């Protein structure tokens, strides 16, 4: 349904979902790092395929997510249905999570974390393209340095707060450390040829998707998992190259336990359980950002 130049769609969300938990996760998620807000969840993002700059607003009415999308320049979105679907995808609102509470009942570790973050739906990057770009920017540097690079690129080459379109990265003289410029251009080319399309990646078997993404120069196994799990927001892909996840599993489940051992109980939402464990670890340790544990 369209009203003026904004497209609005009411989506019935299946399974638990409080907007407040999604907003809390979104505001603290690198590279967004937004100040705390009340009311609707809002964000500016780069649309898959059309690469236009869009603004989204999400509110909640019981089980209904009301998603509104419009172009930041005031024009009409070129593909309104795809734009709405992209917002639903990066907020995990398109996933039937009716089985999520049952997973917590079968796995007490996950159950405890669900109690701490009730109704959490993993928020991903706006797109696999942006996840791949972040994977390049964050290689071999601290997260704060990567966030600074991301902010500079967005300010210099983006639009209205949206990350630069792939063509802008290909045409710009990128002044970045190491081989980041080379790898970022490879990511841009992959985005333009459809390899990093969110709908495409969600439609593949996760293991096949990992392999396909690793075909992009500069993206190894860890980066490929980031692109699939946090870029396409695939709900049942299992990360096998996440060192901190492995450490957290050892601490919570005991020595000799690995992700392959415990993850069978997480189907069909293995990604969600893995993300929940990583969030729990970061909130407890603050190790990624080097902050004091428990600090907001």
């Amino acid at each position: 349904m369209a009203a003026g130049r904004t497209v609005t769609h009411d989506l019935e969300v299946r399974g638990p979902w409080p907007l407040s938990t999604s907003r809390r996760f979104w505001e603290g998620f690198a590279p967004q790092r937004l100040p705390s807000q009340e009311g609707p969840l809002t964000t500016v993002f780069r649309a898959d395929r059309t690469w236009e700059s869009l603004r989204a607003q999400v509110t909640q009415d019981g089980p209904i997510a009301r998603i509104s999308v419009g172009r930041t320049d005031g024009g009409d979105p070129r593909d309104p249905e795809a734009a709405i679907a992209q917002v639903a995808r990066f907020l995990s609102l398109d996933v039937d999570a009716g089985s999520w509470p049952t997973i917590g009942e079968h796995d007490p570790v996950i159950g405890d974390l669900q109690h701490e973050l009730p109704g959490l739906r993993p928020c991903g990057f706006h797109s696999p393209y942006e996840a791949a770009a972040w994977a390049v920017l964050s290689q071999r540097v601290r997260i704060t340095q990567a966030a600074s690079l991301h902010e500079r690129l967005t300010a210099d080459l983006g639009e209205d707060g949206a990350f630069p379109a792939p063509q802008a990265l290909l045409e710009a003289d990128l002044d970045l450390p190491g081989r980041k410029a080379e790898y970022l251009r490879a990511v841009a080319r992959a985005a333009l040829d459809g390899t990093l399309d969110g709908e495409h990646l969600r439609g593949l078997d996760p293991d096949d998707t990992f392999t396909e993404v690793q075909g992009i120069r500069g993206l190894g196994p860890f980066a490929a998992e980031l692109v699939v799990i946090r870029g396409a927001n695939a709900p049942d892909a299992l990360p096998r190259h996440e060192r901190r996840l492995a450490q957290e599993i050892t601490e919570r489940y005991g020595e000799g336990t690995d992700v392959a051992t415990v993850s069978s109980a997480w189907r069909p939402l293995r990604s969600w359980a893995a993300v929940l464990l990583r969030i729990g670890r970061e909130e407890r340790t603050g190790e990624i950002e080097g902050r004091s544990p428990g600090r907001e």
Side-chain angles (χ1 to χ4, degrees):
M1 295 176 291
R5 294 182 180 273
T6 299
V7 179
T8 299
H9 176 74
D10 285 353
L11 174 68
E12 182 179 359
V13 182
R14 303 191 176 205
W17 173 61
L19 176 63
S20 57
T21 303
S22 291
R23 189 171 52 236
R24 174 187 171 189
F25 187 15
W26 185 257
E27 290 162 359
F29 174 45
Q32 276 89 295
R33 262 331 144 236
L34 300 176
S36 181
Q37 58 176 308
E38 297 295 332
L41 186 155
T42 60
T43 188
V44 174
F45 67 101
R46 184 71 61 182
D48 268 347
R49 302 179 186 174
T50 66
W51 309 116
E52 61 197 316
S53 175
L54 301 175
R55 178 175 287 107
Q57 175 178 286
V58 182
T59 57
Q60 181 175 14
D61 182 8
I64 301 299
R66 182 160 294 122
I67 303 172
S68 298
V69 178
R71 281 175 53 157
T72 59
D73 64 4
D76 298 316
R78 295 175 195 167
D79 190 339
E81 290 186 6
I84 293 290
Q86 186 172 344
V87 175
R89 184 168 60 246
F90 67 65
L91 294 178
S92 291
L93 300 178
D94 59 344
V95 176
D96 185 343
S99 64
W100 185 228
T102 304
I103 291 172
E105 293 171 5
H106 292 164
D107 184 329
V109 171
I110 298 300
D112 288 345
L113 288 166
Q114 288 175 337
H115 180 73
E116 293 174 17
L117 290 167
L120 176 72
R121 288 174 176 257
C123 298
F125 288 83
H126 292 125
S127 65
Y129 160 59
E130 291 195 29
W134 175 255
V136 170
L137 294 174
S138 59
Q139 286 176 5
R140 303 182 185 279
V141 298
R142 292 182 178 275
I143 194 170
T144 52
Q145 294 173 287
S148 294
L149 293 173
H150 185 278
E151 289 170 7
R152 176 159 60 86
L153 285 172
T154 300
D156 292 347
L157 303 173
E159 297 172 61
D160 303 309
F163 190 71
Q167 195 63 43
L169 294 183
L170 289 175
E171 295 172 354
D173 182 14
L174 300 175
D175 180 19
L176 296 169
R179 301 179 68 181
K180 293 186 187 298
E182 173 192 352
Y183 294 158
L184 209 54
R185 290 191 181 96
V187 165
R189 285 190 290 271
L192 291 173
D193 71 20
T195 302
L196 290 172
D197 181 76
E199 184 179 355
H200 165 70
L201 292 180
R202 278 284 288 270
L204 300 177
D205 177 89
D207 289 336
D208 293 338
T209 310
F210 294 148
T211 301
E212 182 169 335
V213 173
Q214 285 184 68
I216 302 170
R217 183 181 295 275
L219 300 185
F222 175 82
E225 291 178 352
L226 178 74
V227 170
V228 174
I229 295 172
R230 305 302 303 281
N233 232 10
D236 196 38
L238 187 64
R240 297 181 175 87
H241 298 86
E242 203 351 323
R243 177 176 56 83
R244 290 188 175 93
L245 173 62
Q247 292 172 339
E248 187 67 3
I249 287 172
T250 297
E251 290 188 26
R252 288 187 180 264
Y253 291 87
E255 290 289 339
T257 310
D258 59 19
V259 67
T261 304
V262 298
S263 61
S264 60
W266 302 345
R267 293 178 183 272
L269 296 168
R270 290 178 295 172
S271 298
W272 286 34
V275 169
L276 193 62
L277 283 162
R278 287 291 290 108
I279 294 170
R281 182 177 184 84
E282 180 61 17
E283 293 211 337
R284 189 180 76 253
T285 67
E287 61 189 352
I288 293 179
E289 296 193 58
R291 59 176 171 79
S292 301
R295 193 184 79 184
E296 294 293 333

